[in-house]
Amino acid sequence: MAGKKNDLAELSMGELIEELAATKQEALNLRFRNATGQLENTAEMGKVRKQIARINTLIRSKEIAAAEAGN
């Protein structure tokens, strides 16, 4: 998972989509670990959810920029 917001902004659309898939998989793994009682730091789940939201925001902003450039 990419570290900072600035790192994410530099990624291409394809890389962002790959990062989103990896982060969603990480969220799934955390949910399973939480359900089985193996997750000690539950704050990780919130961090991963915020990371997913950041990636989705960047993807959408790139889509909007591409649409505006096409006009």
Side-chain angles (χ1 to χ4, degrees):
M1 184 171 72
K4 297 182 179 181
K5 290 186 283 186
N6 295 337
D7 294 342
L8 289 173
E10 296 171 0
L11 296 178
S12 69
M13 184 66 89
E15 292 170 329
L16 281 172
I17 292 171
E18 289 175 11
E19 186 70 27
L20 179 62
T23 308
K24 283 185 176 184
Q25 182 64 43
E26 183 178 352
L28 178 68
N29 292 339
L30 286 173
R31 284 195 305 270
F32 276 117
R33 286 176 51 202
N34 189 40
T36 59
Q38 296 175 353
L39 184 63
E40 294 180 11
N41 184 7
T42 56
E44 288 180 51
M45 294 174 66
K47 290 177 185 177
V48 171
R49 279 197 308 266
K50 287 182 182 181
Q51 186 74 1
I52 290 171
R54 278 188 201 101
I55 295 169
N56 280 327
T57 301
L58 284 169
I59 289 173
R60 184 65 183 139
S61 66
K62 286 182 185 264
E63 288 173 347
I64 290 171
E68 288 176 353
N71 287 338

